[in-house]
Amino acid sequence: MVTVNNSDYYNNIPAGRDLNNLPNTSSADTTVGYQYDGLTEEDRFVQKVLQEHYDKVYKENLSHSDPMAYIESKYCDVTSPNFCSYMTEDQRSIAYRNEKRMLQTGGKYSAGFARYDYALRNYKDVYTGGSRSVGYVRNTDREKQYARSVVNQQISNLLSKNGISISKQADLVFSIDPYTYQLTVSGNADRDTLSQIETLLNEGDNAKNIWTHAWICMHDADNEIVNSQANMTKANQYSLWHEVYETTGYDARNATYRNGTFIAEDGTDLLALFKEKAKNGAGYELYSNRWLEYAKNGWKKENDLVLKIGFDSSGLYDIGQERGYGATQNMWMKGISQSIFEASV
């Protein structure tokens, strides 16, 4: 056994973080995971700014004799002196929809968190520019760091509860299968300790949640993969397998390509079954075409999205990327402005 006190890092997590707020889909016995679906501090800020902006614009629109015509002149009529040429097409489109909806509902604001909205242009920490393709960035660097500290604390509590402490010299690696979410542990601890940690982290959806957290942390603010472990080929193969499995119940890796379709070991035509059970035609077209692409050379095990993440006395640390969220990797985050609430529209 490795027996050493936990790092002080765990004791420095701000109070008020709910360690029991696990993902809604987590199964029984799950103790590790972070729920990314709730509103973050930045979500609430963006929502507040947009609410105030559209409330103000709504009143301005009502001051015109024909509010709807005025809105259309701003965003649809390039010959109008009111036309907002300084906005991008995407920004005019979202402003038009929001203002029209508020006019139709008597001033009720119901828009979401589109961070390309022109109303956010002076808030550089949340504004993503004028393109809808960038859209809303939910998992910001701040939230990833927040999630990392929560997951670290959960793992620490789980190990402590079971009498396991990690030495300052310990350096472990968690490897997680992308299909079964089975986690294996390697590193410089004794075999019994590695086995105990492995057993605990494979309870419930602990390993799946760690995989998800690692995967989210492998993307930058533009949702581009920035980790050498992953690429779009692997990501597409991962999403294909899960879509086929969740739709048909069959493992795509075991199917044989024959006569333009995929035949399961029991003789089932999986492409036909997938088409029958697909939630929508667009989904069927996307994944069936992706599936047929893989048929050319067979399922490549080297493109399986197995993720590795390190673990030491300070908690989880990222492997394969320049900017990590581990306790000793996150100095780069100090360059991120903390003054988003001081900006003005």
Side-chain angles (χ1 to χ4, degrees):
M1 289 286 291
V2 176
T3 308
V4 178
N5 291 330
N6 290 323
S7 164
D8 287 339
Y9 173 73
Y10 296 119
N11 300 322
N12 294 328
I13 297 176
R17 297 189 176 180
D18 185 1
L19 302 183
N20 298 313
N21 188 25
L22 297 169
N24 296 329
T25 56
S26 292
S27 64
D29 300 321
T30 303
T31 55
V32 177
Y34 178 78
Q35 175 60 274
Y36 285 92
D37 295 336
L39 292 181
T40 66
E41 179 184 30
E42 288 190 7
D43 292 339
R44 285 186 283 270
F45 174 71
V46 168
Q47 191 176 51
K48 178 177 180 291
V49 171
L50 294 179
Q51 172 83 58
E52 292 176 351
H53 169 78
Y54 283 106
D55 283 345
K56 180 180 179 180
V57 173
Y58 171 68
K59 294 176 182 177
E60 179 187 338
N61 290 337
L62 288 180
S63 69
H64 293 266
S65 58
D66 189 339
M68 191 62 235
Y70 177 63
I71 292 172
E72 290 177 346
S73 73
K74 289 192 293 182
Y75 306 119
C76 307
D77 184 0
V78 295
T79 65
S80 170
N82 301 318
F83 185 67
C84 298
S85 59
Y86 49 86
M87 291 185 182
T88 66
E89 183 177 351
D90 286 337
Q91 290 174 329
R92 287 192 294 271
S93 177
I94 193 171
Y96 173 75
R97 294 198 309 272
N98 288 343
E99 292 179 31
K100 178 181 177 181
R101 187 183 301 116
M102 289 187 73
L103 194 62
Q104 294 170 333
T105 60
K108 183 179 180 181
Y109 172 77
S110 59
F113 309 93
R115 298 197 180 196
Y116 60 90
D117 195 305
Y118 188 73
L120 297 171
R121 65 194 181 281
N122 291 327
Y123 298 86
K124 62 183 179 65
D125 292 328
V126 296
Y127 181 57
T128 58
S131 174
R132 182 185 302 178
S133 63
V134 177
Y136 166 56
V137 181
R138 177 178 294 280
N139 304 318
T140 62
D141 287 326
R142 287 193 187 88
E143 186 177 11
K144 291 172 189 174
Q145 188 62 48
Y146 176 103
R148 177 62 55 87
S149 63
V150 170
V151 172
N152 281 342
Q153 183 69 75
Q154 292 167 333
I155 294 175
S156 175
N157 290 347
L158 181 62
L159 298 185
S160 178
K161 180 181 177 182
N162 287 275
I164 302 172
S165 295
I166 302 299
S167 73
K168 290 184 177 180
Q169 291 74 39
D171 190 11
L172 312 181
V173 174
F174 300 159
S175 300
I176 311 171
D177 183 272
Y179 310 122
T180 64
Y181 295 116
Q182 185 71 19
L183 181 149
T184 57
V185 185
S186 60
N188 61 354
D190 62 83
R191 184 172 299 177
D192 286 343
T193 298
L194 296 177
S195 178
Q196 289 181 65
I197 295 174
E198 198 169 281
T199 298
L200 291 171
L201 294 183
N202 278 309
E203 291 179 347
D205 283 329
N206 290 341
K208 177 182 178 181
N209 292 339
I210 293 173
W211 187 99
T212 300
H213 172 65
W215 176 237
I216 288 174
C217 290
M218 289 181 178
H219 294 73
D220 63 13
D222 295 321
N223 206 34
E224 296 291 332
I225 297 171
V226 292
N227 191 293
S228 61
Q229 297 184 60
N231 54 49
M232 285 308 301
T233 298
K234 291 184 177 183
N236 288 340
Q237 185 161 294
Y238 165 81
S239 63
L240 169 65
W241 187 92
H242 282 278
E243 186 69 21
V244 172
Y245 183 76
E246 291 167 11
T247 302
T248 69
Y250 284 87
D251 188 333
R253 295 172 294 176
N254 299 329
T256 301
Y257 180 67
R258 188 164 65 240
N259 298 326
T261 188
F262 296 88
I263 306 299
E265 293 176 306
D266 62 4
T268 301
D269 183 330
L270 292 189
L271 205 54
L273 181 62
F274 186 64
K275 183 175 183 179
E276 175 188 339
K277 293 182 174 292
K279 296 176 183 177
N280 58 68
Y284 166 74
E285 183 176 353
L286 169 65
Y287 288 104
S288 60
N289 288 340
R290 187 174 293 173
W291 204 354
L292 290 169
E293 287 180 18
Y294 286 110
K296 298 174 184 176
N297 301 304
W299 193 275
K300 291 186 177 294
K301 187 175 178 60
E302 61 267 29
N303 287 330
D304 290 340
L305 196 57
V306 177
L307 299 187
K308 297 179 184 293
I309 189 167
F311 183 78
D312 58 23
S313 61
S314 67
L316 295 171
Y317 65 87
D318 301 285
I319 296 173
Q321 64 192 61
E322 183 179 349
R323 291 186 168 188
Y325 299 89
T328 61
Q329 295 178 309
N330 60 15
M331 293 302 292
W332 62 273
M333 289 196 66
K334 295 193 175 184
I336 297 177
S337 172
Q338 301 293 318
S339 60
I340 62 173
F341 297 100
E342 297 174 6
S344 60
V345 175

